[in-house]
Amino acid sequence: MKRIAIDMDEVIADFNSKMIPIFNTRFNTQISLADLEGVTIQQLRPDIKEQVEAMIGEAGFFADLAVIPHSQRVIKKLTETYEVFITTAAMEFPLSFDAKFRWLAEHFPFISPMNIVFCGNKSILNADYLIDDNARHFEHFSGEGILFSAPHNKQVRGFRRVNNWLEIESMFSL
Ligand SMILES: [Mg+2]
């Protein structure tokens, strides 16, 4: 069975839809999704990087993110022919572990906890495919990286790119 590793934030969990309004309220700004083209929120506002990371790092921040459309149905289908792992670089925000784990249990109950990997450097992963919005994780990855489109990676070239879960569904001929 071939193995697929799938990232969480901005791949199955809609991080920006929650982050942007909270960010705007808390820092009294009016950024939109378009402002995040090519940059992360930390790169957009390096002046308040630490406060932003503290905000994202709060326990529970990840608890109520919306599910990216079609990801549940397509991943469920993938599990019929592939070994599927959810792999998230959770070490950046250690207080997120509990919320992320509960979020997966709620929205992806068909993924066994044994197939959930909270990691730092994703080069440790041994899989045939890695679906991720951060191309930096593909650099030392032994399988094929599949770049899931997000505003921040719009200019990134050199990887197979998918714009949504329907494209993944046809890529894997499900
Ligand atoms: Mg991500």
Side-chain angles (χ1 to χ4, degrees):
M1 232 183 189
K2 285 203 168 179
R3 186 181 279 173
I4 305 179
I6 301 171
D7 177 39
M8 281 183 80
D9 297 312
E10 293 184 86
V11 173
I12 62 172
D14 189 352
F15 174 80
N16 284 329
S17 294
K18 175 169 182 185
M19 187 277 295
I20 290 172
I22 293 182
F23 176 88
N24 282 335
T25 305
R26 200 169 298 186
F27 301 105
N28 194 27
T29 58
Q30 290 192 355
I31 68 153
S32 70
L33 201 55
D35 296 313
L36 291 175
E37 235 173 70
V39 290
T40 62
I41 186 71
Q42 294 97 322
Q43 289 164 334
L44 183 73
R45 290 295 305 270
D47 55 315
I48 49 171
K49 184 174 184 273
E50 272 142 49
Q51 292 100 300
V52 172
E53 291 192 343
M55 176 187 92
I56 300 167
E58 282 164 17
F61 182 88
F62 292 86
D64 56 355
L65 299 190
V67 179
I68 300 272
H70 307 292
S71 59
Q72 289 153 306
R73 182 180 58 79
V74 174
I75 291 175
K76 188 149 204 300
K77 274 170 94 179
L78 280 172
T79 61
E80 291 165 14
T81 15
Y82 295 89
E83 203 181 355
V84 174
F85 284 81
I86 302 297
T87 58
T88 177
M91 297 309 151
E92 289 161 31
F93 301 108
L95 293 181
S96 72
F97 294 176
D98 180 60
K100 284 187 165 205
F101 188 76
R102 281 186 289 111
W103 188 92
L104 285 168
E106 182 183 350
H107 300 290
F108 293 83
F110 50 88
I111 299 280
S112 159
M114 295 298 116
N115 287 41
I116 296 173
V117 181
F118 285 0
C119 62
N121 188 331
K122 291 191 186 180
S123 67
I124 191 69
L125 298 176
N126 177 16
D128 298 283
Y129 304 97
L130 170 60
I131 304 172
D132 207 300
D133 63 299
N134 270 306
R136 69 182 159 94
H137 294 305
F138 302 152
E139 217 174 304
H140 301 288
F141 175 65
S142 55
E144 183 185 353
I146 299 170
L147 187 66
F148 198 93
S149 285
H152 72 85
N153 68 29
K154 218 162 186 177
Q155 284 87 14
V156 175
R157 299 282 178 271
F159 304 99
R160 179 132 63 136
R161 176 186 285 273
V162 288
N163 294 301
N164 53 56
W165 277 94
L166 298 179
E167 290 185 15
I168 294 173
E169 185 174 30
S170 44
M171 176 185 293
F172 288 97
S173 313
L174 299 174

